[in-house]
């Protein structure tokens, strides 16, 4: 029998070789043998996947952020690290006077940007990132205002959730294709957005005259922000998509363990009585009558004893969750944190097994991801178009001078977006390292101030004001290098000893002349 089986195999291999069909797979992962028979994946484009499945992904992602503390913690960590107190602009206009006018005008407009009046511009940045994390994308619509509205620059921004732009709206508008609610020109430029005026999940939408109708909004009036993951992608994916199933099932598992522990600790034991006349707990039904043997109570409370008939008493032994549950939960939360791209400690606040070095290593990798998000998504997709539109409206309103040529406009648009400073556990070491880099020519004071999120010119002005005020009042401060010993350059001279007549405090605090 084995002879004929081997002969059939050899004949089959010979015939496949004659036909030019390879006898094996070059990659194990591309095969469909016994191990991979159930692994059948789609070859659909990312836009097709999001158009057909994106709405369900978004609903489930929003539900997890609403109901699950770990998902909420992940969202908060991203927002706190990427936005913090705000990604702030610093004008790079070559004219100092115009630069000051721009900075002053922006500082006033920051508080007026939100069309809902709930926060400032930097609060809108944080809200936008929350939407991108939770729903995969966020929409912003410019709201030009009249001069009578009293705004310094007559421009505001309204943030809209992604549901306003239907994922399954695919049609043609003349020669322009409309895909997932976005209208493109024949050469692929975004021309317009077809949006609902009200949120489709709002009951107020049914009360509007144009219920269910889409409005065409020019692309120049809309900001669309999301993190692109594949080439040609034009709608965003919720960030929890890769770990959504894991987190949902983990949440169900934790609930099951809690319920099991609760029920196990409610039952004291079970009562077995063969004679119904010998009830240990009469009136179990609360009606004044003796309960029949085997009757279970309808309400479970702490200390419950079930009467299941018999002559003996069995005491309950509740399971101990401390045996395997904590280790399992930790492993699963590590898997969730890895998929979400956030250190485990930032999600759970479990710092029992970390030290300074390990925590810093984890934060460095996380902050590399955050920096990529700050500049590739938030600064480029959100802040940059808002800045350019605000400059245009400020010029039209007479707040800023009108440039005479294209180069003048480029100078007005020129800006650097400063991200908030990231503090470490031991800031003294970071300050000492920065001082060493500056003194050894590896960096500049301006660059180091930029890293902290502050404006070097503002710092210099404030220092000059402090020194002038100290001089006027006759004050001496250690921060004024003009009146303290200079320790920047090493010297071979032996430092002078303090005057013996001075007290210890005077010798250590009084400046040397």
């Amino acid at each position: 029998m084995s002879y004929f089986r081997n002969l059939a195999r050899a004949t089959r291999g010979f015939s496949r070789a004659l036909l030019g069909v390879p006898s094996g797979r070059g990659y194990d992962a591309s095969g469909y043998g016994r191990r991979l028979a159930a692994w059948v994946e789609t070859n659909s484009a990312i836009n097709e996947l999001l158009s057909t499945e994106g709405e369900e992904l978004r609903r489930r992602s929003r539900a997890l952020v609403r109901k699950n503390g770990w998902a909420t913690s992940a969202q908060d960590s991203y927002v706190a690290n990427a936005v913090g107190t705000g990604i702030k602009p610093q004008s790079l206009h070559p004219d100092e006077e115009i630069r000051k006018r721009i900075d002053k005008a922006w500082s006033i407009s920051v508080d007026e940007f939100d069309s809902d009046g709930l926060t400032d511009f930097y609060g809108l940045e944080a809200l936008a990132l929350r939407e991108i994390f939770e729903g995969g994308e966020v929409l912003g619509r410019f709201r030009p205002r009249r001069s009578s509205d009293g705004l310094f620059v007559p421009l505001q921004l309204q943030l809209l959730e992604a549901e306003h732009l239907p994922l399954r709206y695919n049609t043609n508008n003349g020669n322009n294709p409309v895909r997932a609610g976005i209208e493109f020109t024949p050469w692929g430029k975004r021309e317009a957005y077809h949006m609902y005026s009200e949120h489709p999940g709002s009951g107020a939408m049914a009360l509007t005259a144009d219920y269910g109708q889409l409005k065409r909004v020019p692309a120049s009036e809309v900001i669309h922000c999301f993190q692109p993951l594949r080439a040609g992608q034009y709608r965003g994916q919720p960030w929890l998509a890769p770990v959504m199933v894991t987190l949902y099932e983990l949440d169900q598992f934790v609930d099951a363990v809690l319920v099991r522990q609760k029920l196990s600790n409610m039952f004291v034991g079970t009562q077995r009585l063969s004679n119904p006349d010998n009830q240990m707990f009469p009136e179990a039904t609360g009606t004044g009558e003796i309960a029949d043997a085997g009757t279970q109570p309808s309400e479970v409370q702490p200390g419950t004893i079930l009467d299941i008939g018999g002559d003996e008493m069995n005491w309950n032994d509740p399971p101990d969750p401390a045996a395997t549950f904590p280790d399992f939960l930790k492993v699963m939360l590590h898997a969730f944190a890895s998929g979400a791209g956030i250190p485990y400690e930032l999600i759970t606040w479990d710092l029992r097994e970390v030290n300074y070095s390990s925590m810093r290593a984890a934060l460095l990798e996380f902050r590399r991801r955050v920096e990529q998000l700050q500049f590739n998504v938030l600064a480029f997709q959100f802040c940059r178009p808002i800045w350019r539109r605000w400059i245009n409206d400020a010029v039209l309103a007479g707040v800023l001078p009108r440039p005479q040529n294209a180069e003048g406009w480029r100078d007005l648009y020129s800006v650097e977006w400063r991200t908030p400073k990231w503090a470490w556990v031991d800031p003294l070491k970071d300050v000492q390292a920065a001082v060493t880099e500056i003194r050894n020519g590896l960096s500049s004071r301006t660059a180091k101030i930029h890293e902290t999120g502050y404006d070097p010119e503002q710092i210099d002005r404030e220092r000059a004001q402090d020194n002038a005020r100290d001089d006027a009042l006759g004050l001496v401060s250690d921060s004024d290098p003009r009146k303290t010993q200079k320790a920047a350059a090493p010297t071979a001279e032996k430092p002078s000893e303090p005057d013996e007549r001075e007290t210890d405090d005077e010798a250590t605090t009084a400046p040397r002349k």
Side-chain angles (χ1 to χ4, degrees), residues 356 360 421 423-436:
Y356 178 80
R360 185 179 179 110
K421 176 187 177 182
W424 294 103
V425 178
D426 190 353
L428 178 60
K429 294 181 179 179
D430 297 297
V431 173
Q432 292 174 340
V435 171
T436 302

Side-chain angles (χ1 to χ4, degrees), residues 306-355:
L306 290 182
D307 182 2
I308 57 177
D311 295 317
E312 61 182 16
M313 188 74 178
N314 294 323
W315 299 103
N316 187 31
D317 184 15
D320 182 11
T324 59
F325 176 71
D327 292 337
F328 173 78
L329 180 62
K330 187 173 182 179
V331 170
M332 296 305 298
L333 285 177
H334 270 291
F336 165 68
S338 177
I342 303 178
Y344 163 84
E345 291 78 13
L346 295 186
I347 293 178
T348 63
W349 293 94
D350 181 8
L351 305 177
R352 292 173 296 180
E353 299 180 5
V354 300
N355 53 43

Side-chain angles (χ1 to χ4, degrees), residues 323-493:
T324 59
F325 176 71
D327 292 337
F328 173 78
L329 180 62
K330 187 173 182 179
V331 170
M332 296 305 298
L333 285 177
H334 270 291
F336 165 68
S338 177
I342 303 178
Y344 163 84
E345 291 78 13
L346 295 186
I347 293 178
T348 63
W349 293 94
D350 181 8
L351 305 177
R352 292 173 296 180
E353 299 180 5
V354 300
N355 53 43
Y356 178 80
S357 298
S358 62
M359 191 65 187
R360 185 179 179 110
L363 289 178
L364 281 173
E365 178 60 28
F366 174 59
R367 288 173 177 177
R368 289 189 186 98
R369 300 185 181 188
V370 170
E371 283 182 334
Q372 187 180 43
L373 171 67
Q374 287 173 329
F375 292 102
N376 294 351
V377 178
L378 290 176
F380 188 82
Q381 296 183 10
F382 188 80
C383 300
R384 184 181 62 93
I386 293 176
W387 175 264
R388 296 176 69 90
R389 177 61 179 267
W390 178 82
I391 289 288
N392 292 341
D393 286 23
V395 171
L396 293 176
V399 175
L400 298 178
R402 178 179 293 274
Q404 301 300 319
N405 49 42
E407 184 178 357
W409 281 104
R410 285 193 294 270
D411 290 338
L412 280 180
Y413 294 144
S414 182
V415 64
E416 181 179 359
W417 292 95
R418 307 267 172 79
T419 57
K421 176 187 177 182
W422 282 325
W424 294 103
V425 178
D426 190 353
L428 178 60
K429 294 181 179 179
D430 297 297
V431 173
Q432 292 174 340
V435 171
T436 302
E437 290 183 12
I438 295 173
R439 288 181 173 177
N440 288 278
L442 301 177
S443 183
S444 66
R445 191 172 61 87
T446 299
K448 289 303 177 182
I449 295 177
H450 280 167
E451 291 179 3
T452 64
Y454 293 104
D455 179 10
E457 295 183 358
Q458 181 181 355
I459 294 293
D460 290 342
R461 288 193 297 268
E462 292 177 355
R463 288 182 58 200
Q465 293 171 1
D466 289 343
N467 292 337
R469 186 168 55 252
D470 288 348
D471 292 342
L473 298 176
L475 301 177
V476 177
S477 174
D478 288 342
S479 62
D480 189 351
R482 303 172 303 167
K483 301 177 181 180
T484 56
Q485 288 181 336
K486 298 178 176 58
T491 177
E493 298 180 1

Side-chain angles (χ1 to χ4, degrees), residues 112 129 169 204 216 243-244 306 309 340 349 412 417 469 508:
E112 301 176 345
L129 184 56
Y169 183 67
R216 183 179 183 272
V243 291
M244 203 175 292
L306 290 182
W349 293 94
L412 280 180
W417 292 95
R469 186 168 55 252
T508 56

Side-chain angles (χ1 to χ4, degrees), residues 279-300:
Q279 291 287 334
M280 293 178 60
F281 298 95
E283 301 183 9
T285 59
T287 60
E289 300 177 357
I290 300 299
D292 294 335
T295 301
Q296 296 183 359
S298 58
E299 182 178 357
V300 179

